[in-house]
Amino acid sequence: MTTATQLRQQTRMIRGTVLLPGDTGYHRARSVWNAAVDRHPRLIVRAAGADDVAAAVRAAGELDLEIGVRCGGHSAAGHAVPDGGLMIDLTPMGGVAVDPASRTALVQGGALLGALDRASQEFGLATTAGNVSHTGVGGLTLGGGMGWLARQHGLACDNVTSFTVVLADGSITTASAAEHPDLYWGLRGGGGNFGIVTEFAFRLHDTGSNASSVEVDFPLDQAAAVLRGWRDLNATAPRQATFTADIENGLATVGYVWTGDRQGDTSLLPAIRSLGRPCGERVVRSSYLQLQTRIDTAGRHGKRRYAKNHYFTGLTDEAIEQLVTGADDPMFPGAGLQAYGGAIADVPDDASAFSHRGVAFELNAGTGWTDPAQDAARIDAARSYAARLAPFASGAYVNALGDEGADGVRRAYSPAKLARLTELKNAYDPQNVFHLNANIPPSR
Ligand SMILES: Cc1cc2nc3c(=O)[nH]c(=O)nc-3n(C[C@H](O)[C@H](O)[C@H](O)COP(=O)(O)OP(=O)(O)OC[C@H]3O[C@@H](n4cnc5c(N)ncnc54)[C@H](O)[C@@H]3O)c2cc1C
């Protein structure tokens, strides 16, 4: 086995920090969002720039070490942390530079969503980002990137105009509509399969700084009827409104998040109230930045986590019946629905690797706990809930895959997309150097 001295020698050109087991900061750097992930890389390169990332990719090849790439560390499966491998930690590369005149943001590959939102909102601008500010721009955008602005401005990946990428051979290239358009297509939804993105160029929108959320609570015995009405209201909702529903803690909570001009932000509240006999409601008017951090604590680091995900093209009455069944069980994983549609579905399906643009709703059934003795019971409950709903689902979101392996990847992409992604993998990463992800293996 390579000695520590050899590892240090091989990575001596790295400008950032190189950490080996025993070094100060090693444990902090290997910890990710899901506390159940407890893996030990042989070394961690905390990259200072694209040159460091390229040097780390080459060093991993020379040392024959598996590569893991860390941005926000939110992958529930812990893909960022290679056990016994070389972890490329991009978090020191967390900078964002906004040019308000051209409405663009240059975002380093290790930036978190909060950094992108804060820098853009300085100018009343924003682009689609996810709902928890400590999520990484890297993983979220490469797999699609759903957020409160998506129904107006498309997914995060739809707003990327160019990527700077370190490829499997350690070379650095640009992918855009003009340069390597095939790679540009694949990076918008194909995940981390094709290279390590060191910089994203995002298109920003004049969103203003206002947000509102409307939530109405109903007792569980009304949940099925309420969800049926909520589903029907969603069909005609304006693009500023993203419908949400949560079934947890003995309640069904339905409503929507509204972004942009406040005119009309509560116009759907009476219709939502009248879906049943509510037992609570909240209307919160906030800044966009407050909206973007409002579930940071609920989604915090440090808990053991397990989640399942389904897309629904429609939500039939039978599916709704299954959604609410068992919601009073203490092991019920909790179910959150978020509406798609609008600008997400305006983009032609073959324009990017992202699949399932036509879905109506995404379901996340996610559970978090601290006692390892509960692992099996928690995971079993989430799996059996998701299995009951699977017959009604039309696929899954690639960024929400966990331990599903190749079956999950087949749910995330249509067969035609998967074939095109496999050809791209053959061209850009024929040795499958980047495989700790929702992996698309090369076919030759
Ligand atoms: C609390 C929470 C909230 C979430 N909310 C949303 C949401 O609102 N919308 C949504 O769409 N998704 C959401 N997700 C899912 C999220 O998109 C995925 O977990 C995503 O993989 C997170 O990316 P990351 O950079 O934080 O994770 P990491 O674990 O660091 O990376 C995930 C994967 O992406 C690869 N990767 C990361 N950065 C790069 C890069 N620069 N270049 C190449 N490969 C890279 C990694 O190698 C790994 O395979 C959420 C997840 C969590 C845990």
Side-chain angles (χ1 to χ4, degrees):
M1 189 195 274
T2 325
T3 64
T5 311
Q6 287 165 323
L7 291 174
R8 293 207 197 270
Q9 171 69 10
Q10 200 75 42
T11 50
R12 67 190 181 285
M13 302 305 280
I14 303 278
R15 288 187 293 120
T17 314
V18 176
L19 299 171
L20 269 66
D23 287 347
T24 306
Y26 172 84
H27 286 295
R28 189 181 160 87
R30 74 177 183 89
S31 318
V32 286
W33 178 76
N34 181 354
V37 174
D38 181 22
R39 301 193 195 120
H40 295 78
R42 288 239 43 221
L43 81 164
I44 299 174
V45 171
R46 303 202 68 227
D51 53 338
D52 271 3
V53 174
V57 168
R58 284 195 295 268
E62 284 150 15
L63 295 162
D64 196 21
L65 292 178
E66 191 175 33
I67 290 177
V69 180
R70 186 211 168 112
C71 178
H74 273 208
S75 148
H79 285 315
V81 199
D83 218 8
L86 191 159
M87 175 171 170
I88 302 178
D89 179 4
L90 300 173
T91 53
M93 299 167 56
V96 178
V98 170
D99 176 12
S102 61
R103 291 187 185 167
T104 51
L106 295 180
V107 181
Q108 285 190 294
L112 303 186
L113 298 180
L116 171 57
D117 283 336
R118 285 191 301 273
S120 309
Q121 280 286 281
E122 290 267 327
F123 306 97
L125 303 171
T127 196
T128 303
N131 308 346
V132 170
S133 76
H134 46 76
T135 310
V137 172
L140 178 125
T141 304
L142 290 167
M146 176 59 187
W148 305 125
L149 297 174
R151 284 168 49 81
Q152 292 180 74
H153 301 297
L155 298 168
C157 71
D158 298 330
N159 289 289
V160 181
T161 54
S162 90
F163 300 86
T164 306
V165 199
V166 174
L167 299 177
D169 62 1
S171 62
I172 303 177
T173 197
T174 302
S176 66
E179 290 177 80
H180 302 103
D182 55 344
L183 184 57
Y184 179 59
W185 177 89
L187 290 171
R188 288 173 297 140
N193 275 285
F194 307 106
I196 303 176
V197 176
T198 56
E199 188 175 271
F200 299 81
F202 277 98
R203 191 183 303 118
L204 301 176
H205 306 274
D206 197 359
T207 55
S209 299
N210 290 331
S212 312
S213 70
V214 169
E215 292 178 319
V216 184
D217 302 326
F218 296 90
L220 279 182
D221 61 357
Q222 298 173 40
V226 166
L227 280 173
R228 287 195 296 271
W230 169 88
R231 167 202 63 197
D232 296 344
L233 281 176
N234 173 67
T236 54
R239 289 181 176 206
Q240 294 99 315
T242 303
F243 268 42
T244 60
D246 290 286
I247 307 159
E248 58 186 345
N249 304 325
L251 288 174
T253 302
V254 298
Y256 55 91
V257 166
W258 180 279
T259 49
D261 187 339
R262 289 211 169 111
Q263 195 171 1
D265 64 345
T266 56
S267 56
L268 295 166
L269 177 58
I272 300 258
R273 276 189 196 127
S274 69
L275 295 173
R277 294 175 307 286
C279 54
E281 75 175 47
R282 290 162 299 288
V283 175
V284 179
R285 286 184 158 151
S286 70
S287 70
Y288 177 73
L289 282 180
Q290 283 166 334
L291 169 73
Q292 289 295 83
T293 56
R294 73 172 183 156
I295 50 172
D296 277 12
T297 304
R300 67 184 174 276
H301 287 253
K303 283 190 168 186
R304 306 173 81 77
R305 303 279 187 173
Y306 192 81
K308 287 287 185 189
N309 176 278
H310 287 308
Y311 275 141
F312 296 100
T313 306
L315 200 51
T316 61
D317 292 355
E318 296 93 317
I320 287 175
E321 218 39 64
Q322 287 301 326
L323 268 170
V324 302
T325 300
D328 50 357
D329 186 308
M331 280 291 149
F332 183 74
L337 288 158
Q338 189 169 350
Y340 275 48
I344 303 166
D346 289 346
V347 177
D349 180 66
D350 63 359
S352 67
F354 183 82
S355 290
H356 302 299
R357 286 188 180 275
V359 300
F361 300 104
E362 179 191 340
L363 167 76
N364 266 303
T367 175
W369 66 101
T370 50
D371 180 1
Q374 289 188 10
D375 286 5
R378 294 278 186 168
I379 292 170
D380 284 355
R383 282 186 182 151
S384 50
Y385 181 62
R388 273 199 280 123
L389 285 157
F392 306 100
S394 49
Y397 178 25
V398 68
N399 272 351
L401 296 179
D403 56 0
E404 295 86 352
D407 286 346
V409 175
R410 277 191 292 273
R411 295 191 70 218
Y413 301 105
S414 64
K417 286 258 169 102
L418 204 47
R420 192 167 163 187
L421 285 163
T422 304
E423 280 308 315
L424 202 62
K425 187 77 173 175
N426 289 338
Y428 283 94
D429 184 15
Q431 306 300 323
N432 208 5
V433 168
F434 304 117
H435 60 266
L436 286 180
N437 42 42
N439 195 227
I440 298 160
S443 62
R444 26 177 213 269

